[in-house]
Structure formats: C-alpha cells, structure tokens
Amino acid sequence: MSVETERSSTESDVSGLDYEETALTLGIPGGARVAGAELERKRGFSKTVDLTSRIGTSEDRSDESPDTNTAGSAKAPAPKARVVGWPPVRNYRKNALKSSNKYVKVAVDGAPYLRKVDLEAYGGYEELLSSLQEMFSCFTIRNYPNEERKLVDPIHGTEYVPTYEDKDGDWMLVGDVPWKMFVDACKRLRLMKSSEATNLGLILNYLIFELKRRSSACFIYVFPLSFLFV
Amino acid sequence: MPYFPQEVVECIFSYLTSHQDRNSVSLVCKDWSVIEQKTRRHVYVANCYAVSPTRVATRFPGLWVLTVKGMPHFADFRLVPRGWGGSVQPWINAMACSCPRLEEIRFKRMVVSDESLMLISRSFPNLKALVLVSCRAFSTDGLTYIASSCRQLRELDLQENEVNDRGSQWLECFPNSFTSLESLKFTCLRSAVNSATLEGLVARCPNLRTLHVNSSISVECLSRILIRAPRLVDLGTGSLSSNQMGWYRRLFYSFQKCKGLKSLSGIWFVGPRTFQPVVYPVCGNLLSLKLSSAPWILKSDLLNVISNCPRLQKLWVVDRIGDEGLAVVGSTCQDLRELRVFQSNFHGPSCWVTDEGLIAISTGCPKLNCLLYYCAQMTNAALMTVAKNCPDLIQFKLRNLDPVKPDPVTNHPLDEGFGAIVQGCKGLKRLSLSGFLTDQVFLYIGMYAEQLEMLSIAYAGETDNGMMYVLNGCKNLRKLKIQDCPFGDGALLEDFTKYETLRSLWMSSCEVTIGGCKALAAKNTQLSVEVISDLNSISGLSLEPSKNQRAEKVYIYRTVAGPRTDAPTNVSIL
C-alpha cells in the first residue's frame, strides 16, 4: 500500500491530478477486504504470474519485501510476441482487407477465347462449377453417382472434365483436395473434353507399359501431362 | 388512470421515446401498462434469447420498429462457434402473425436465411427499412425477394455481413416503378455489379442520400452516379483505381457538384497522389471520413486530405498515419468527436502509433466522445492527459498490441492511467482495457465509473477481487466481457443479486469451473448459464464433466424466456 502512494505522488507531479485521494484509505464499495487486500494481492499476483507463464516469462515475487521501493509493486511479465486471440481483429475486417484476388484463366477446349475467374469469390467446388456453367452458358452440370462432377454440353452431348494446373505444373482433376488447398495450388483451369481425357489415360498406360518392357532397371517415370500437349 | 381519458394518456405517451421511460410508465399501474403496450412503436431487444419472440409480438401489436441483437460481441472475433444460434426465423414468424404493420427491421449478429428474407418480403407490406449488420447465412437470392416485393422500401443497409454472393441480379429486381430509395449500402457484397443497373436505380430515386457501393464499382461508374445524384450526403466509394487519368478529372468535376456531401468512406485501392486532388472539392464540408478499409493510401495523400477537412467530426484511419499524422489531425480537426485508429498489419506488431499520438489528439480535440486506439505502447502519463483534456469521453477502447505491456517509461502497470480516465470522464459508458493491469484498476473502476455500461477486459487482474470490485461498484453495468483473466468461481458466485441488473456476462479462458457455473445456475432460475466448448474437444459436456474442470467459455445472460431449445451439442445450458 505504501508503495502505491509513493508511486502515485510522483505521478501526480507529472499530471497535476492529485492521487492522494485515490490511495486506498476508503472502504471498498460493497465489501470490506481492506486489511487482507494487500497480502492477497501480492499472493494473487504470484499466482497470476504462474498462470500467465504462457504469456511470458514470470518473475517470482514471493521473496520481495513490502518495503522495497523498486519500480512498482508488481513486476510486469515479459511481453510475448503474440498471444492467441489478441489483438482482437473483427473477422469481417480481416477478410475484407485480404489484398490477394486469385484470378485464374479458364480455357475450354473448342472455345475461341479464355475467361478469368476469381477463385477467392467462391466458397466451394459447387459454386465454382455453377459459375463456370453460367459463363460458358452452354453446359449443364451432371452429377455422377460416384461423386464425379462433369460439365456436359447438352447440344452435342460431349462431356467436359474440369482440370487444373497446379504449382508443380501438373494437370490434376478438380475436386480431389479440400477447397482451400485447391485455391492455393491452382494456377489455371482447363475444361478438357472427356474423350480426350480418356485417350490420354490410354496413352499413358501404353507409355508405362513400353517403358517397363524396355528398361532393364524397373524404373517408371510418369510424364507430366503437359508434355503431351506440346 | 382516473384523471385523464385514455386518448389523452395515449397522446402523452406518444411523446415518450426513450425505452427506459416507456419501461417505467408501464410499471405504474395496469391501465398505463395496457395503454403503453398499445402505443409502443419501437422495441429494442439486446439479446434475442432474453425474451420470447411471441411474447414481444403479442404484447406490442402496434410495433413499427424492431431491433434485435443475437450473438455475443466476441462472435466478431471468432470466439463463438458457428452453430451457436441466434436465428431470426422465430422473430419473423412471431412478427408476421401479430405485427403486420412493421416498418423497420434491424438485426445485428444474427443468422438470417433466404427463407427469412422471403418471409419478410411477403409479410410486411409497409416495410420501409431493412438493416442487417454482421449477420450471416443468407445469399443474394434472398435479397431478390426484398428488392422485388418491398415497394415502399427506403433503406436497405447491409453492413459487414457474411453473404453467399451469387451475383448482383438482386439489384435488377427493383422494378422500374420503384423510386422511394433513400439509403443503400452493400459494401459487404463482393461480386461485380452491373453499372447500368445501379445508375438507373440512382437516377430514378430522387431522395437517395446515402449510397455505399462495393469495390467492384469503377471510377467511371462512380463519376456517372455522382452526376445523377448530386444531393448525396453519405458516399461509400468503390475501388478508385483506374488506368485512365481522364476519368479522375471527371470524378473531380462530379465531386464539385456534390455540395452536400458530408460523409465519405470506402476508398479501396487508390493510386498515389490521385486521392487528394479528386476529393478536394468536398473536403471543406466533410464531417465524417472513414478510411479504415484503405490501408494502402500513402500517408502524404492522407494528411493532405485531412489538413483540408477542418470540420471533421468523425475520423476512422489505419495506424500507418503515425504519431505525426495524429498531430496533424489534432491541429486541424478541433471539432473531432470520434476517432478510431485501426491496426493495418494483422500478422505482427506495428509501431506506427504510440502514446504520443494519443497525447497530440487529446490536446487538439477536446470534444472527443469516442476513441478506439490500437497502439504499440501506452503510458500512464498519456492516459492522464487524455482524462484531463477530454472529459466528455463516452467510449474509450484501448487496444495495446501487446496485451500485457506495462508503461514502458516507468515499467508500472497502467492502473493509474485508467484510474484517471474513469475519474476524469464522468460520462464514460463503454470502456475496453488492455496493457499490464492489476486488481487496482478494477478498484478504481468500481469506485469512479458510475455511468459505465459496458466493460471489456483481457489479460488483466490478479485475483477474484478485481472482478468483484467491478461487480460491486458499477451500478449501471450491463455487459461485462472478460477474456484470459485469472477470475474464478469466487468472483462468479460472490453476489447473486448482481445478475439482475447485468444483461450479460462473457468469460473465456478464465478460471471458472463447471461446478461454479452449475452452482450459479441452480441459485438463479432467471439466468441462463451457457458453457460453450469447442467443436474439437474430445471430452464433450455430455459425458459427466468433473466439477473442477475449467469451463473454457461461459456466456451468462438474464432471460424471462427459460432455457433456449436451439442450442447445438457443444453448448450446454446448465
């Protein structure tokens, strides 16, 4: 308690406000714990210091005598660089200020020009596919029982398989990985004619078979699909 | 009442606008209560689970304006799990049955579905205003119902909602005969808006005074809109980036025509040295400038603008403005009532704004009412200066980026500084603390903060005494929000009568236990004690938790509606 008034008197010089009045001499409104408050406070603080060890390094004050006129009666815990949930940032604000818009090119086999879509604007695969459907307005989405989604051109009956090029340059089927992972990895989209996709599959199988047959060491190298588009 | 006939009493009551006054007169006698119920036009429900919707609707059949808030405030910071509750459907159902003359509906932090929006559009032919703030779970399809059916709509206000944006077709659903729009805000929608549709809407609504567009609106479209609506008072711009300098000149001329513009916000991506010359014509009249969504504005541009806005009363900026920038604000804007300084960098501490900026502001702006300040450090001296210079403060929220940082000059806790604030600012109603704080600050708050209604604490205090000082001392306290403090069952259970006046209490990551919560719930039947566990926790509350197990998140609120029935499995109502 004495340390408090000493501190407050130095600070009242700074601000001009008289802090003698705020020293703990009056009863606390609603309860009477004046006598034990000081001891409790100090004990409580060392408890706090243990509790907040996740915040920073704690300093044990249990051996500090009440007469010590060190800087304040309470030692501050060392500041931690980041604590969970602080400082509070509104979810909306965080989302609103994301500066990256993930625009990727969308190519459709047989279409004269490409389009661009903002992957960040969609919440999932459904929304992306329905948006592609609207954009190249000649398709409808057909859901297959094995959860494969294909875009179908109802006039000619050709199916389109959505594929994308990932960071490694490989062409992958859309829909395998979680949405967020896909948004991160996708560099461009291509709606491939289904017939071509199955042809590619056949070509690949043949290549693998030939390699296996010819090489003495059992070494299989799977060509990236882009190799075949050259 | 024996002295006056009923019509006279009704007439007298029509002059009573404050909710407190209305509540008081309804308690006088049965006759007054009946008359008051018939004539009540506005109802404000601060917690949607405090009272049942049917009861409100049947009690006040003459309602015109309904405001309901749902999730606790910390939902904004992702501390409340998504399925927690707060659906508007029961409210819409009840109002549709009993209050068909409803004209204004305002929801905040609630779950709104497209079906609810459809029901709103069909049930309330007199609907003039729909305001949705921080709501979620609806899509733009729901808005099409509102646009096509609400012929008398004057205000459509969508702020900070999580909307499933399926495109801007809803804007095209306003019929050509629709001309009553006065206020339209759709900044939270992301998808591209058809410029021609928006311009057409603006052109045929002569009373349009408030327009906040989203970032897809280009400079070209904006200048055309301003030409059609020169009497706009409140403008939220879209993206101000353009490759063609010619359009900036046109925007400048458009701004010249807007003599009545008082409030400007938005201003997404904008190039260097284009912002100030373009908005220069309106700076002199500006009362409100909100640039918190524009952290990329060059500081020099920003200060050029602000130094031309002497009449500014409300300013929202990002901490890149720096202490020197705040000094410019302090010397230019003597009329400033509200200042919010947000942080720009979410991924680490930033050092642009400190206690010096706060001193500069308080010295130059003595009329300050509302202050939100994210800063790298704060000193007791600065807080005392604020208390001395700005006695009219009503709202003060200090967000120290390091939540346990003491005064760096003296290495003391910030108790004395905040103590000065509560002593000096006698009208303080909302306070949010941060920095290294001991129980002492709560003692000061309990002693001096008589008008305090909302208190938000994080990483502060040492023992249960801290919380008890506040609960015992602040007679007007309505909302108490506590995060990561060492308060436990002792403080929670100390005095049950406190909870009659406290509207809600939130405690997360504190020391309260399940046993303590159960004891509180048992003692007080008009209190709802919700223990919220995270979805990922393996030891769900359905298995008997031990009494000494810590309750990670507790939300306690008073209610006359009994325990709610729509709680998800990870919320346990004791």
Side-chain angles (χ1 to χ4, degrees):
Chain A
M1 216 85 63
S2 55
V3 183
E4 291 294 320
T5 47
E6 272 175 276
R7 179 157 39 96
S8 59
S9 61
T10 48
E11 284 184 341
S12 65
D13 292 338
V14 176
S15 70
L17 279 170
D18 188 2
Y19 271 95
E20 302 300 321
E21 292 171 1
T22 63
L24 195 61
T25 51
L26 304 168
I28 303 161
R33 291 185 191 231
V34 182
E38 183 187 14
L39 266 166
E40 272 185 43
R41 188 150 33 106
K42 286 183 182 172
R43 199 176 354 108
F45 178 67
S46 50
K47 251 202 293 180
T48 309
V49 161
D50 291 332
L51 288 168
T52 56
S53 56
R54 59 198 156 103
I55 293 180
T57 58
S58 46
E59 305 208 20
D60 193 4
R61 278 188 56 253
S62 48
D63 51 343
E64 189 172 320
S65 70
D67 296 325
T68 313
N69 190 10
T70 50
S73 63
K75 283 254 157 67
K80 184 164 168 30
R82 280 187 67 192
V83 288
V84 178
W86 189 270
V89 180
R90 304 259 297 274
N91 210 9
Y92 175 76
R93 190 175 151 71
K94 211 173 199 175
N95 292 337
L97 293 181
K98 270 195 313 210
S99 49
S100 63
N101 273 334
K102 186 89 190 264
Y103 277 96
V104 294
K105 291 184 192 171
V106 183
V108 176
D109 286 349
Y113 47 79
L114 280 63
R115 300 290 302 262
K116 270 211 164 170
V117 289
D118 176 13
L119 290 181
E120 300 266 342
Y122 303 116
Y125 288 113
E126 295 284 10
E127 288 167 80
L128 172 65
L129 289 179
S130 41
S131 161
L132 289 179
Q133 172 193 319
E134 276 173 87
M135 225 182 246
F136 300 95
S137 55
C138 35
F139 303 143
T140 53
I141 300 177
R142 188 182 288 170
N143 274 326
Y144 283 78
N146 58 347
E147 301 239 48
E148 240 182 300
R149 290 186 206 90
K150 293 199 179 143
L151 291 170
V152 183
D153 175 9
I155 301 174
H156 298 116
T158 44
E159 286 171 17
Y160 289 78
V161 175
T163 61
Y164 70 103
E165 183 184 11
D166 72 356
K167 286 182 179 159
D168 299 325
D170 301 325
W171 286 91
M172 322 277 287
L173 185 68
V174 166
D176 287 334
V177 296
W179 174 251
K180 288 283 175 208
M181 209 182 283
F182 163 72
V183 171
D184 242 7
C186 174
K187 280 171 56 187
R188 46 195 299 187
L189 282 164
R190 178 181 163 194
L191 297 183
M192 194 187 289
K193 279 212 181 93
S194 191
S195 50
E196 192 178 345
T198 31
N199 282 344
L200 280 170
L202 291 173
I203 293 172
L204 251 179
N205 281 337
Y206 174 76
L207 275 171
I208 291 171
F209 175 75
E210 284 295 319
L211 278 168
K212 250 184 169 165
R213 198 171 61 83
R214 289 176 196 193
S215 74
S216 43
C218 287
F219 172 73
I220 309 275
Y221 178 64
V222 182
F223 291 92
L225 281 176
S226 50
F227 168 77
L228 296 163
F229 293 153
V230 170
Chain B
M1 172 145 197
Y3 307 114
F4 296 118
Q6 186 167 320
E7 295 78 19
V8 177
V9 180
E10 278 182 27
C11 182
I12 297 173
F13 283 2
S14 66
Y15 289 96
L16 291 174
T17 45
S18 118
H19 296 292
Q20 276 92 333
D21 291 342
R22 285 244 162 203
N23 293 342
S24 308
V25 300
S26 66
L27 292 171
V28 169
C29 66
K30 186 104 169 58
D31 287 339
W32 276 30
S33 175
V34 169
I35 298 174
E36 197 278 320
Q37 284 174 28
K38 262 181 53 183
T39 56
R40 171 97 67 146
R41 300 283 174 248
H42 298 236
V43 160
Y44 167 61
V45 181
N47 176 358
C48 63
Y49 290 118
V51 65
S52 113
T54 8
R55 179 131 169 75
V56 173
T58 44
R59 189 174 159 194
F60 304 112
L63 262 191
W64 286 353
V65 178
L66 175 69
T67 308
V68 187
K69 294 189 182 175
M71 289 182 257
H73 175 226
F74 278 10
D76 285 346
F77 310 118
R78 294 171 304 283
L79 284 175
V80 177
R82 295 236 346 147
W84 178 82
S87 166
V88 301
Q89 194 66 27
W91 289 93
I92 305 294
N93 289 339
M95 291 293 146
C97 285
S98 312
C99 307
R101 277 177 289 169
L102 210 55
E103 292 184 0
E104 290 185 25
I105 297 177
R106 295 163 200 271
F107 290 129
K108 184 166 182 176
R109 264 183 237 116
M110 297 193 76
V111 176
V112 180
S113 63
D114 288 346
E115 287 71 33
S116 314
L117 290 175
M118 183 171 71
L119 193 56
I120 290 176
S121 68
R122 292 196 184 153
S123 315
F124 307 112
N126 286 354
L127 193 70
K128 299 203 169 66
L130 179 63
V131 178
L132 300 175
V133 180
S134 300
C135 296
R136 58 178 195 84
F138 62 100
S139 77
T140 44
D141 295 345
L143 296 176
T144 58
Y145 300 122
I146 301 290
S148 43
S149 309
C150 301
R151 298 301 163 101
Q152 298 203 39
L153 200 65
R154 289 194 204 149
E155 183 178 343
L156 181 59
D157 188 341
L158 306 169
Q159 287 181 49
E160 304 198 356
N161 301 299
E162 265 183 53
V163 185
N164 183 355
D165 195 341
R166 298 205 182 129
S168 64
Q169 295 83 356
W170 63 276
L171 207 55
E172 283 151 41
C173 291
F174 285 110
N176 285 335
S177 54
F178 176 73
T179 57
S180 50
L181 205 59
E182 292 174 16
S183 166
L184 178 63
K185 296 185 189 176
F186 59 92
T187 320
C188 57
L189 301 180
R190 301 296 194 96
S191 63
V193 165
N194 185 323
S195 314
T197 317
L198 184 60
E199 288 166 44
L201 183 62
V202 170
R204 64 179 188 270
C205 296
N207 293 331
L208 193 68
R209 295 287 173 268
T210 301
L211 180 63
H212 287 199
V213 298
N214 69 3
S215 55
S216 73
I217 296 293
S218 62
V219 172
E220 296 87 321
C221 179
L222 188 67
S223 62
R224 286 196 291 262
I225 287 176
L226 287 178
I227 289 175
R228 290 184 197 273
R231 276 179 290 185
L232 270 183
V233 170
D234 184 350
L235 174 68
T237 71
S239 162
L240 285 189
S241 68
S242 169
N243 290 331
Q244 300 165 339
M245 289 310 290
W247 280 107
Y248 283 113
R249 203 174 306 125
R250 270 174 254 212
L251 189 58
F252 171 77
Y253 291 136
S254 308
F255 271 122
Q256 273 193 321
K257 302 261 178 359
C258 295
K259 303 264 188 294
L261 198 65
K262 295 209 164 45
S263 179
L264 194 59
S265 62
I267 311 172
W268 305 86
F269 322 98
V270 64
R273 285 171 289 285
T274 46
F275 177 43
Q276 192 266 333
V278 164
V279 303
Y280 181 74
V282 296
C283 285
N285 287 333
L286 269 189
L287 294 180
S288 162
L289 184 58
K290 293 188 188 175
L291 301 172
S292 50
S293 307
W296 305 282
I297 293 185
L298 276 188
K299 192 159 117 179
S300 50
D301 284 353
L302 181 59
L303 295 180
N304 274 334
V305 172
I306 293 178
S307 50
N308 284 315
C309 302
R311 296 171 69 185
L312 217 54
Q313 290 184 6
K314 194 187 277 199
L315 177 62
W316 291 18
V317 284
V318 176
D319 59 5
R320 278 172 204 235
I321 193 174
D323 288 336
E324 329 75 64
L326 290 177
V328 171
V329 174
S331 58
T332 316
C333 311
Q334 263 102 36
D335 245 356
L336 202 66
R337 312 289 160 100
E338 178 174 330
L339 174 68
R340 297 195 194 197
V341 181
F342 292 95
Q343 60 166 157
S344 53
N345 184 4
F346 302 139
H347 303 294
S350 55
C351 321
W352 286 288
V353 158
T354 68
D355 50 300
E356 289 175 20
L358 191 61
I359 294 177
I361 287 289
S362 68
T363 318
C365 312
K367 296 188 196 171
L368 266 183
N369 283 341
C370 171
L371 194 51
L372 168 71
Y373 203 72
Y374 278 81
C375 60
Q377 65 180 43
M378 188 49 53
T379 59
N380 281 314
L383 290 173
M384 289 175 195
T385 315
V386 172
K388 191 166 66 151
N389 292 339
C390 305
D392 295 333
L393 268 184
I394 295 176
Q395 203 180 105
F396 183 50
K397 296 187 184 177
L398 188 79
R399 305 252 164 94
N400 222 319
L401 287 180
D402 179 350
V404 289
K405 188 161 182 165
D407 182 334
V409 172
T410 58
N411 220 31
H412 292 177
L414 293 179
D415 300 339
E416 299 303 319
F418 281 109
I421 296 270
V422 292
Q423 244 199 321
C425 307
K426 306 238 183 295
L428 196 68
K429 287 195 178 162
R430 302 167 83 102
L431 179 62
S432 182
L433 311 168
S434 65
F436 178 49
L437 296 161
T438 68
D439 285 347
Q440 183 73 8
V441 70
F442 299 115
L443 180 66
Y444 291 143
I445 291 175
M447 280 168 79
Y448 296 110
E450 282 159 29
Q451 300 295 322
L452 198 66
E453 291 175 8
M454 194 283 289
L455 180 63
S456 180
I457 315 167
Y459 298 102
E462 304 161 294
T463 68
D464 286 348
N465 286 335
M467 188 166 154
M468 289 196 278
Y469 295 152
V470 171
L471 287 176
N472 288 332
C474 299
K475 297 277 172 272
N476 284 314
L477 196 65
R478 294 202 202 140
K479 289 199 313 191
L480 184 55
K481 299 179 276 193
I482 304 175
Q483 178 195 347
D484 290 277
C485 294
F487 304 139
D489 295 342
L492 192 69
L493 300 171
E494 197 243 347
D495 187 349
F496 299 110
T497 58
K498 292 293 156 306
Y499 295 100
E500 284 166 32
T501 49
L502 200 62
R503 186 196 296 160
S504 69
L505 168 63
W506 169 279
M507 293 181 78
S508 61
S509 305
C510 296
E511 299 301 315
V512 291
T513 64
I514 306 277
C517 295
K518 284 191 173 164
L520 182 63
K523 277 271 187 173
N524 202 327
T525 48
Q526 290 209 319
L527 213 58
S528 187
V529 180
E530 293 192 9
V531 179
I532 302 170
S533 57
D534 288 324
L535 281 167
N536 298 331
S537 69
I538 302 167
S539 61
L541 286 165
S542 48
L543 318 167
E544 266 305 306
S546 75
K547 288 180 66 158
N548 292 331
Q549 185 184 331
R550 235 174 57 145
E552 182 60 29
K553 292 177 191 167
V554 181
Y555 182 45
I556 299 166
Y557 53 90
R558 58 176 188 188
T559 175
V560 294
R564 63 182 174 115
T565 49
D566 61 351
T569 46
N570 58 329
V571 174
S572 169
I573 302 180
L574 302 174

